[in-house]
Amino acid sequence: MIPVCRLEDLPAGESVRIATTPPIAVFRTEDGELYAIDDTCTHQDASLSEGWLEGCLVECPLHAASFDLRTGEPTCLPARRPVRTHRVTVEDGVVHVHLGAEEGTAA
Amino acid sequence: MRTVTIVGASLAGLHAARELRAQGFDGRLVIVGEEPHHPYDRPPLSKDFLTGRADESRLALTDADETAGLDAEWLLGVRARGLDTRGRTVVLDDGRTVSTDGVVIATGAAARRLPGDSPAGIHTLRTLDDARALRADLSRGPRRVVVIGGGFIGAETASSCARLGHEVTVVEAAPLPLVPQLGAPMAAVCAALHRRGGVELVTGTGVAGLRGTTAVTGVDLTDGRALPADLVIVGIGAVPNTAWLAGSTLALHDGVLCDDGCVTALPQVVAVGDVARVGGARTEHWTSATEQPRVAVTNLLAGHTRTTARPLPYFWSDQYDSRIQFAGRYREGDTVQVTEGEITDDGAPGESGFLARYERDGRTVAVLGVDRPRAFMRARRELQRAEGERGERAAAPAAL
């Protein structure tokens, strides 16, 4: 379980990248939901935490591949493989990521 | 339409195949490819593939599942030699012919070469086989590498060679590389990346000739200098592959001439990707090759130009650990200013990169981001939206 940041430091519509190996991106959607996925686009080396967040989808900043934060599945080309998802909890106002979720399973 | 033939098993060709099936074409689909390989992605060839960080499996654009789903006949390792005047028969180099109702031309472009014979040690970098050969040569210990041409391929290749520990010089005929693409001020910033990466940039001089009979030993410059070289990489642009279309009725002029919907004068023949001159412009961009096929296939299946697309040009380049992203249309005379981040005293991008906006008549026409992906993405989207709105306004009178 990895502490990420205080919940109030992650406003809705924003994301934060944590430097694990491999790195993980944590998102807070406009609806306030929290999701964590592997940060690196499965198509080519780009950081999804820098992508465009729209609803539960994040668009890669390099080639516009899009991933569903809930499942890690790509929703359009050029990505073809899913990113791993990780469970997120908030404890005492701090966002935590739980590693070890299986590839492609929902957080 | 019972048979569609895609000539070119490229990124654009593959996207055309995907679109045909996605848009409901359930007839016979034939894909002709000059190279023996299934479609692969070219951008990594000058970067991670060359440096050995990515292997060939990372280049594949399809997998067995998708290939099965496309249900296409793949004719690989054979080049198309001709298209009859009505666009109904594709003639292959080995004498076979494919009778077809529709044709998607996706034959791409080939690396431009220096005139004359090439001794060993001269490379171009366009195809997987080019990259394999160059990678093999680079793995034989430290080399003196001369890259001819300071465009994106030249710069990326120089960057990869430097990363591998080779001694690299880039020769550029213009006073500064990338000026037509980026304008002088931002081209100068990119030029500074070479310096920062330990690569020498020689500008304002052409190549007079190569030295060496069996293997290259040096490059003679037009200013009288001579650069010793064990390897020479020629990155001086690409020429659209249209020679096979001589004798067809298609209009060819630096590409296959198409309307804004990628349709040629024959409604059953469309063109996409690097080979296509769409609405007066040819764009050698990865993104165009993925976006044009949707429009082209819609029009091909409709039998006439039903839809057009003029996507905002977008390209990127990775060199010297910097990611350069550009969107829009730069023209000489546009002003440019850095609106986020900074350029350091040595003329190179600052640590957190920068975003620059190009303006013409008071509006943004293009954006450049260096290591600033999020800001760039936002700016690119704004630009896309503005362009879309202007396009709608321009189209409005015609719609009335």
Side-chain angles (χ1 to χ4, degrees):
Chain A
M1 190 168 84
I2 303 170
V4 178
C5 62
R6 296 201 60 80
L7 184 60
E8 65 256 33
D9 293 336
L10 184 57
E14 292 295 325
S15 56
V16 61
R17 177 180 186 271
I18 49 177
T20 42
T21 310
I24 290 173
V26 184
F27 297 86
R28 188 173 185 187
T29 67
E30 291 293 347
D31 293 338
E33 298 290 329
L34 291 165
Y35 297 98
I37 59 174
D38 276 358
D39 183 51
T40 308
C41 180
T42 58
H43 167 244
Q44 253 172 50
D45 196 6
S47 167
L48 293 174
S49 71
E50 291 168 331
W52 186 266
L53 185 61
E54 206 156 343
C56 281
L57 301 181
V58 63
E59 183 186 309
C60 172
L62 190 56
H63 300 141
S66 176
F67 295 90
D68 190 322
L69 298 178
R70 295 164 296 189
T71 61
E73 291 290 332
T75 60
C76 75
L77 293 168
R80 305 179 56 78
R81 286 172 295 123
V83 286
R84 292 186 311 159
T85 58
H86 307 278
R87 197 160 66 87
V88 187
T89 56
V90 180
E91 283 159 44
D92 298 331
V94 174
V95 178
H96 290 82
V97 166
H98 302 253
L99 291 181
E102 283 168 36
E103 192 166 300
T105 55
Chain B
M1 199 165 274
R2 284 184 305 196
T3 300
V4 173
T5 304
I6 299 171
V7 188
S10 54
L11 176 70
L14 174 66
H15 273 259
R18 287 171 173 161
E19 282 297 331
L20 278 160
R21 291 310 190 204
Q23 295 186 31
F25 173 71
D26 60 3
R28 179 181 175 222
L29 178 58
V30 181
I31 303 174
V32 179
E34 180 180 355
E35 295 178 55
H37 318 293
H38 271 87
Y40 59 88
D41 213 16
R42 289 186 206 281
L45 293 179
S46 56
K47 304 182 273 269
D48 284 355
F49 181 76
L50 205 58
T51 56
R53 296 209 304 182
D55 61 16
E56 289 188 16
S57 68
R58 294 288 298 177
L59 303 177
L61 287 169
T62 50
D63 55 28
D65 275 356
E66 188 192 23
T67 305
L70 285 176
D71 189 23
E73 288 170 43
W74 296 84
L75 305 179
L76 298 177
V78 61
R79 144 206 321 249
R81 191 172 66 193
L83 180 68
D84 75 354
T85 52
R86 295 175 310 122
R88 300 290 193 192
T89 308
V90 176
V91 183
L92 305 182
D93 227 7
D94 59 10
R96 279 182 290 176
T97 58
V98 182
S99 296
T100 192
D101 304 305
V103 176
V104 180
I105 298 173
T107 42
R112 183 176 282 130
R113 287 161 199 281
L114 292 175
D117 295 335
S118 287
I122 310 287
H123 293 266
T124 52
L125 184 48
R126 179 85 192 168
T127 65
L128 174 57
D129 293 341
D130 289 344
R132 281 176 176 165
L134 178 56
R135 196 161 112 159
D137 261 5
L138 289 169
S139 68
R140 295 198 185 111
R143 288 285 197 276
R144 290 167 302 178
V145 178
V146 173
V147 178
I148 301 173
F152 288 117
I153 290 288
E156 290 179 1
T157 307
S159 161
S160 294
C161 291
R163 170 176 290 202
L164 290 168
H166 301 286
E167 185 189 321
V168 187
T169 306
V170 174
V171 180
E172 165 64 40
L176 197 61
L178 299 175
V179 171
Q181 291 91 340
L182 303 179
M186 294 301 130
V189 177
C190 291
L193 293 174
H194 289 288
R195 223 170 25 241
R196 194 182 268 186
V199 167
E200 193 185 350
L201 177 62
V202 177
T203 60
T205 178
V207 170
L210 300 173
R211 289 191 178 186
T213 43
T214 52
V216 71
T217 58
V219 178
D220 288 326
L221 303 180
T222 49
D223 66 5
R225 275 186 290 173
L227 303 172
D230 308 305
L231 285 179
V232 172
I233 298 153
V234 181
I236 53 174
V239 187
N241 288 321
T242 56
W244 68 284
L245 292 166
S248 72
T249 55
L250 298 179
L252 309 172
H253 177 71
D254 184 38
V256 177
L257 266 58
C258 321
D259 65 13
D260 287 343
C262 301
V263 181
T264 69
L266 298 173
Q268 67 276 21
V269 179
V270 297
V272 291
D274 290 3
V275 75
R277 194 169 183 85
V278 180
R282 197 167 65 79
T283 45
E284 291 179 4
H285 299 331
W286 185 94
T287 314
S288 315
T290 64
E291 290 173 343
Q292 288 169 348
R294 176 165 301 163
V295 169
V297 162
T298 301
N299 295 334
L300 178 68
L301 295 178
H304 64 276
T305 301
R306 237 181 61 186
T307 170
T308 63
R310 198 166 176 254
L312 193 72
Y314 165 62
F315 58 82
W316 80 94
S317 176
D318 293 335
Q319 33 183 292
Y320 307 109
D321 293 322
S322 278
R323 175 159 287 166
I324 298 163
Q325 294 175 285
F326 183 91
R329 298 182 177 87
Y330 162 77
R331 269 203 327 236
E332 204 182 325
D334 294 346
T335 57
V336 59
Q337 58 175 335
V338 172
T339 55
E340 279 186 45
E342 57 168 7
I343 293 164
T344 58
D345 291 342
D346 68 351
E351 207 164 295
S352 56
F354 69 86
L355 183 79
R357 289 174 186 270
Y358 293 73
E359 293 199 347
R360 189 186 313 153
D361 304 327
R363 62 185 176 84
T364 304
V365 291
V367 287
L368 169 72
V370 178
D371 297 326
R372 200 92 174 179
R374 200 163 191 171
F376 174 81
M377 192 178 206
R378 203 166 281 144
R380 180 186 172 196
R381 279 182 170 253
E382 279 167 23
L383 205 54
Q384 254 161 348
R385 201 165 43 235
E387 176 136 321
E389 283 165 10
R390 264 202 317 284
E392 276 169 32
R393 275 202 301 278
L400 287 174

